[in-house]
Amino acid sequence: MRFQVLGPVRMSPCTPTAAKPRVVLATLLVKNNSVVSAHSLIDELWGTTPPRTASTTLQVYVSHLRKALTGPGGVPGADGQPLLTQPPGYIMRVAPEELDLILFELLRAQGRSAYEERNYDDASRLLSESLALWTGPALSGIPHGAALQSTAIRLDELRSETLEQRISADLKLGRHQELIGELMALAHEFPMRESLHGLLMVALYRAGRQSDAIQAYHRIRRTLVDELGVEPDSSLKRILARLLASDPALAWHPARGRADTPAPGPRTAAEATQASPADLRPPLWLPPPLADFTGRAEELEQCTRLLTGTGRSVPRIVAVSGRPGVGKTALAVQLARGIDGFADGRVLVPLRDSAGRALTAPAAMAALLRRLLPPSPGGPAAVPDGLDDLTDRLQHITRARDLLLVLDDAVSEAQIRPLLAAVPDAAVLLTGRRPLAALEHARHLVLDGLGQEEAESLLLTTGGPRMAQDPAAVTRIARLCGRLPLALRVAAGGTAVQPDWTAAGLARRLEDERTRLAALSLGDLDVRSSLLTAYHEVSEADRHAFRRLGLAPVPDFPAWAAQSLLGTAPEAAEELLGALVRAQLLDVRQEPGPDAVLDGGVRYGYHTLLRSLALEMLAEVDGEEAVAETVGRLGRAFLLRARAADAQLTPGRDRLAGVLETACGELPAGDTAVSTPLRWFRAESAGLLEMVRRLHGAGLWGLTCALASATSGYYEACGVWDDWRISHELAVDAARRSGDALAEATLLRSLGDLAWQRRDAARAVDHHRHAARLFALTDDGIGAARCAAGEADVLLGQGEFGRADALYRQALERAAAEGDSRGCAEAERGLALVALLTGRPADCLDSLERCASAARALGDVRWRGYALRLAGQVRAAGRGTVAWPHLEVRPGVWLMSDGPVAAGALPAG
């Protein structure tokens, strides 16, 4: 389907994100293959107050649509560009199979024709296919002008009429039992649509529920009288009269042309339990499908293939697992209702009781047997008690029958095995939170959250007009709900029914992890309660680990971080992590790429709502002292590795490495922080910043300063400016709170380098001078010398070569006196740049040689490579005037001048 308007407006290969172009698209699609005037499009876009540039802006929107309609590389598809200019406006040429609206109208017309010809099987099928094209309210997700508003109303009414006719066809086919759940949901959704309530009354009556049918009439009568002050129409009153009179004509009779076989009479309990498969009517015990079921096309296709694509010689068992609220049951019901085949019945059996307790294997088998057998005169059919008798009866009643069994919310392999052994010929779809990995013959599907586009579509379908008015908020809500279907439905439902709620307001409430779960509660739908069921089912040790791991940085963390948080040996931490993964309380993520073999390539992370739950339970169960201790332990683990990686990446740089928070332990042999320091920093970059925040929030000032200082070499080498600024500003605050002048000086000097790289000269000089004064107070000559070199870098960028040269020489003298090889390398590098930019290439080469020598003594491969690289460029420039508009002034840091800088001639040789 290339174009969709029966729901959110979409097109392929990509849908414009801006609302106005989508309005143009929708207007052209609802009038497909007809010319739409430019004036009509302008009216739809801006109403009675179009801007002066309306015509030009409309042309821009059309241009955007044409670009979006082209294939990869900007080349139109095989059928050419469908959006054409045709005076007095534009025309969208669309084939019937490309637009859901055209297909809907064709299928609807064919279904109505089949219904009039009393071909109710075809009518039901065609009308169902037409309704399956809908993905939400018509033309949703865009603002409506007058024309689109009236079209949306018309299409939604057509959808309702088609649905009623399909239900009427199903009633003609004797499907009243399975229609009851769907009709009850529709009656709740449309409380004043009398025709739907009439169909519900008929279905209830034909299912032997005459009193319920009468109650359904009184419910709609009360609604109509209370809300509108009117009585039900005459058609409903006639149905009521026929119900009260037990009119035989109202009962179901097989359609004309079918064998008029009478319905079987009542059976005794003994007859029911001994019924042969040939005597049984196909049972259908399925809940109604979700009206807003969205996405999952790939998963549905995969399950369908696994359940129908193999012969009966191989057991057909598909096990769907996933965390609470991910939509396992909804997927199973959608599949069971839509899958072809299984003419002998489709039955869902919950494997927990109403209190949430797991059924025993015999209880589950008895529940299934009751649903497969016809009822006895006194109620449900009687079933045997013993496991062996239950097995015999189930094998007898399911043998050679084409049945689909949905076993919902399975707990363990032990609960399921006896039941599966009793129904070897049936296809079985299992759902459960845990993957039942030890189950023989099962094919597994682990269900995750919806895709971002599907999540937004579900919000728009369920959330009503106010949700559609704020696409940016919809995107945020989908992300903050972790794209979990249950959370999305609750969020959208709250917005739809609360008149004072807006999508933006809900997004703001969800941003705060502390209030996120509280905002996701609507009536008896409570995301927190759903997640808590999985939490309470694991052991106390697992719950303790779940809470403590909530303190790990986002978005994910490695095994060593978990070991630090839990305070256990690696083997014990690995066992706890595995238990939480199996319980769907923790995700495991494989690092991509060929380097994933390092450190196992495995990381762990929380679904965003489970992380919120972990932090809630942590605050509720564990004390603040324990939390602070855990954060400090993790902070020291990060610091140990960050310092080791920094010592490899920028040796001798960190002034706090030997004086602050030095008791952090020793690294295991072969740790990636040492073997691949840059890769380690990149993998943990987000976690490092989050860790600095957590340490600062816990009041661990020394650790905050030490960890921030250990990261600045990586931040400079890779240009991670925002993280650099945020982490160091927090650390400067920590240093001031703790009165640590040396830490404050070290961090301010680093912020001075950041300001210089961002071309904020005044701030850079201010930071360097402030840091130099603090270094002087702490009698740290090395730090003071580096501040002088940093200030000289600022002067060099401003073209004040004389003052820069003096400061570089001052820094070199002080660094040499202190034995600081890094300070010497930095100062010699600065003197080389001054010489180069003032036309003294020979002096430049001498300084670069001394810079490379100092870097070699330091063991800094990056700085030595830089000095040799620049020296080679200077030599390659040869004699004459050379322009240096872009000059590398530090490894990976470039000086951009407004004009070329002339350098003198190099000596021969």
Side-chain angles (χ1 to χ4, degrees):
M1 193 71 62
R2 189 175 185 187
F3 303 100
Q4 294 174 280
V5 295
L6 303 180
V9 176
R10 297 194 184 106
M11 73 175 191
S12 63
C14 66
T15 304
T17 56
K20 295 290 189 184
R22 283 185 285 135
V23 171
V24 176
L25 173 67
T27 306
L28 292 169
L29 288 175
V30 298
K31 298 182 179 180
N32 57 86
N33 300 308
S34 300
V35 176
V36 181
S37 71
H39 289 300
S40 298
L41 290 168
I42 289 171
D43 288 344
E44 194 62 29
L45 287 164
W46 294 287
T48 58
T49 57
R52 288 180 298 171
T53 60
S55 296
T56 304
T57 305
L58 173 61
Q59 293 170 7
V60 171
Y61 294 158
V62 170
S63 176
H64 288 171
L65 283 175
R66 284 173 172 160
K67 290 179 181 178
L69 285 163
T70 58
V75 179
D79 297 330
Q81 173 60 251
L83 178 49
L84 306 175
T85 301
Q86 186 168 324
Y90 304 91
I91 186 171
M92 180 73 82
R93 300 210 176 274
V94 182
E97 67 274 13
E98 291 182 308
L99 177 59
D100 57 3
L101 175 57
I102 300 177
L103 275 179
F104 168 74
E105 291 173 336
L106 287 172
L107 290 168
R108 176 176 174 271
Q110 292 170 6
R112 289 172 65 86
S113 176
Y115 187 94
E116 291 169 0
E117 295 169 4
R118 300 187 178 183
N119 186 349
Y120 300 121
D121 277 310
D122 285 350
S124 175
R125 176 180 56 81
L126 290 165
L127 294 172
S128 296
E129 288 176 7
S130 72
L131 291 167
L133 295 168
W134 286 75
T135 59
L139 301 167
S140 57
I142 59 171
H144 290 174
L148 285 182
Q149 181 67 24
S150 62
T151 301
I153 293 171
R154 179 181 66 84
L155 291 176
D156 285 334
E157 180 60 26
L158 282 179
R159 180 188 189 183
S160 297
E161 290 178 5
T162 305
L163 177 61
E164 290 176 9
Q165 189 163 35
R166 193 228 81 207
I167 292 171
S168 179
D170 286 341
L171 281 173
K172 298 283 188 183
L173 294 169
R175 298 170 181 168
H176 38 269
Q177 186 68 53
E178 54 261 45
L179 283 172
I180 291 173
E182 180 183 3
L183 281 166
M184 283 184 169
L186 289 169
H188 180 76
E189 185 178 357
F190 302 102
M192 290 186 283
R193 194 171 182 94
E194 294 166 88
S195 50
L196 279 174
H197 287 75
L199 293 170
L200 173 60
M201 292 164 64
V202 172
L204 288 167
Y205 176 79
R206 290 180 178 177
R209 298 169 59 180
Q210 183 180 23
S211 60
D212 289 339
I214 295 169
Q215 287 179 0
Y217 171 84
H218 288 298
R219 276 196 300 272
I220 186 173
R221 180 184 179 278
R222 277 196 306 272
T223 300
L224 292 172
V225 171
D226 292 345
E227 296 291 331
L228 304 177
V230 298
E231 291 285 338
D233 67 12
S234 56
S235 62
L236 271 183
K237 292 179 178 178
R238 283 196 298 271
I239 294 174
L240 175 64
R242 296 174 69 186
L243 290 176
L244 295 171
S246 298
D247 185 355
L250 196 59
W252 177 70
H253 302 282
R256 185 179 301 173
R258 297 178 178 271
D260 287 335
T261 54
R267 299 169 181 247
T268 66
E271 290 173 332
T273 55
Q274 295 302 319
S276 69
D279 295 330
L280 299 174
R281 295 179 63 189
L284 184 71
W285 281 81
L286 294 174
L290 288 174
D292 58 1
F293 185 88
T294 302
R296 303 296 194 198
E298 184 177 341
E299 292 89 344
L300 287 168
E301 190 277 332
Q302 181 180 351
C303 289
T304 300
R305 186 175 65 254
L306 293 173
L307 290 170
T308 61
T310 59
R312 294 198 179 191
S313 59
V314 179
R316 296 169 293 166
I317 304 170
V318 177
V320 180
S321 58
R323 63 178 59 89
V326 80
K328 304 178 292 295
T329 303
L331 174 77
V333 171
Q334 190 76 10
L335 175 74
R337 285 192 168 274
I339 195 170
D340 291 333
F342 304 108
D344 292 325
R346 308 168 192 206
V347 175
L348 181 144
V349 178
L351 298 180
R352 294 177 188 263
D353 62 18
S354 57
R357 295 182 295 264
L359 299 181
T360 63
M365 296 168 72
L368 173 60
L369 188 55
R370 288 189 189 96
R371 295 197 169 188
L372 290 174
L373 291 170
S376 64
V383 297
D385 293 328
L387 183 63
D388 291 341
D389 290 339
L390 285 166
T391 301
D392 290 344
R393 288 301 304 125
L394 280 171
Q395 287 182 344
H396 172 73
I397 207 169
T398 61
R399 185 178 298 122
R401 296 184 70 192
D402 191 16
L403 285 167
L404 174 62
L405 306 180
V406 181
L407 306 180
D408 188 41
D409 211 357
V411 175
S412 66
E413 291 88 345
Q415 181 193 36
I416 293 299
R417 279 198 184 97
L419 202 159
L420 294 179
V423 291
D425 289 347
V428 178
L429 180 61
L430 290 168
T431 74
R433 294 172 195 145
R434 296 170 178 263
L436 303 180
L439 203 61
E440 298 82 358
H441 308 298
R443 308 294 292 274
H444 294 276
L445 172 65
V446 179
L447 208 58
D448 205 349
L450 297 172
Q452 182 66 24
E453 185 177 345
E454 293 173 340
E456 292 180 21
S457 176
L458 178 55
L459 286 170
L460 292 171
T461 300
T462 311
R466 276 178 294 164
M467 188 69 76
Q469 290 167 4
D470 196 341
V474 169
T475 300
R476 287 168 59 203
I477 293 169
R479 175 179 57 82
L480 293 168
C481 288
R483 304 189 301 277
L484 194 70
L486 174 62
L488 294 167
R489 286 191 174 90
V490 172
T495 306
V497 302
Q498 298 283 352
D500 57 334
W501 280 26
T502 64
L506 175 60
R508 283 194 299 272
R509 286 191 292 276
L510 294 174
E511 287 284 0
D512 188 344
E513 280 188 322
R514 297 168 299 178
T515 60
R516 185 173 298 160
L517 290 176
L520 293 174
S521 178
L522 182 67
D524 61 349
L525 289 178
D526 185 356
V527 175
R528 187 177 189 273
S529 297
S530 178
L531 299 178
L532 273 173
T533 56
Y535 169 78
H536 285 303
E537 285 185 351
V538 299
S539 68
E540 174 54 38
D542 293 342
R543 291 197 292 271
H544 176 270
F546 174 76
R547 297 192 303 270
R548 292 300 174 93
L549 291 173
L551 294 170
V554 292
D556 50 41
F557 54 91
W560 61 259
Q563 179 188 341
S564 300
L565 283 166
L566 301 176
T568 62
E571 296 78 11
E574 184 178 349
E575 185 176 342
L576 288 167
L577 289 167
L580 292 176
V581 169
R582 289 190 295 274
Q584 298 287 343
L585 290 172
L586 196 66
D587 295 334
V588 61
R589 300 161 188 176
Q590 188 76 26
E591 291 186 42
D595 293 332
V597 294
L598 299 171
D599 194 28
V602 173
R603 298 177 71 85
Y604 300 89
Y606 283 96
H607 184 275
T608 180
L609 298 180
L610 283 169
R611 177 181 167 86
S612 297
L613 179 66
L615 294 176
E616 274 193 21
M617 299 309 297
L618 184 72
E620 182 178 317
V621 177
D622 302 272
E624 292 184 6
E625 184 177 341
V627 171
E629 178 189 352
T630 305
V631 171
R633 192 164 56 238
L634 180 61
R636 282 184 285 276
F638 263 99
L639 178 59
L640 177 64
R641 288 163 175 80
R643 280 179 170 169
D646 184 63
Q648 298 294 315
L649 190 64
T650 57
R653 181 202 57 79
D654 187 2
R655 297 296 300 137
L656 301 182
V659 296
L660 185 63
E661 297 290 340
T662 56
C664 292
E666 295 183 3
L667 276 180
D671 194 281
T672 55
V674 177
S675 59
T676 54
L678 188 57
R679 177 180 175 273
W680 183 89
F681 268 123
R682 284 174 172 157
E684 307 301 339
S685 182
L688 285 164
L689 178 59
E690 180 70 16
M691 198 68 245
V692 170
R693 284 194 176 108
R694 287 194 177 277
L695 292 169
H696 184 274
L700 299 170
W701 310 128
L703 274 173
T704 304
C705 298
L707 184 57
S709 180
T711 60
S712 57
Y714 160 69
Y715 289 151
E716 178 182 337
C718 295
V720 190
W721 287 354
D722 289 339
D723 290 8
W724 188 353
R725 176 187 61 79
I726 295 168
S727 64
H728 280 52
E729 286 178 352
L730 286 170
V732 167
D733 178 72
R736 289 170 178 167
R737 287 172 182 260
S738 62
D740 191 331
L742 177 60
E744 183 181 355
T746 301
L747 295 158
L748 283 173
R749 191 250 173 186
S750 180
L751 285 172
D753 282 342
L754 172 61
W756 168 67
Q757 290 191 28
R758 287 185 148 177
R759 293 186 168 226
D760 189 347
R763 187 183 298 272
V765 170
D766 180 63
H767 282 323
H768 281 305
R769 289 179 178 175
H770 190 177
R773 290 192 294 271
L774 292 171
F775 278 127
L777 287 174
T778 58
D779 198 25
D780 188 324
I782 292 176
R786 293 184 185 180
C787 287
E791 185 175 347
D793 283 338
V794 178
L795 296 171
L796 179 75
Q798 294 174 329
E800 298 192 32
F801 302 133
R803 293 175 62 193
D805 185 83
L807 278 176
Y808 283 132
R809 292 186 186 281
Q810 176 186 328
L812 178 60
E813 181 180 355
R814 189 71 178 271
E818 297 281 354
D820 179 21
S821 296
R822 173 165 289 279
C824 290
E826 290 189 4
E828 290 287 8
R829 177 264 325 171
L831 290 170
L833 293 171
V834 171
L836 179 63
L837 296 174
T838 55
R840 296 179 289 114
D843 293 341
C844 171
L845 289 172
D846 290 341
S847 291
L848 286 174
E849 183 178 351
R850 290 190 290 272
C851 175
S853 178
R856 183 173 58 251
L858 188 64
D860 194 322
V861 177
R862 291 177 62 251
W863 271 77
R864 184 169 182 269
Y866 159 74
L868 296 176
R869 183 168 62 250
L870 183 57
Q873 294 169 358
V874 173
R875 290 192 182 94
R879 299 177 179 274
T881 300
V882 179
W884 299 94
H886 310 302
L887 184 61
E888 190 178 9
V889 293
R890 283 188 194 175
V893 180
W894 296 78
L895 175 66
M896 308 293 185
S897 64
D898 295 331
V901 180
L906 287 171

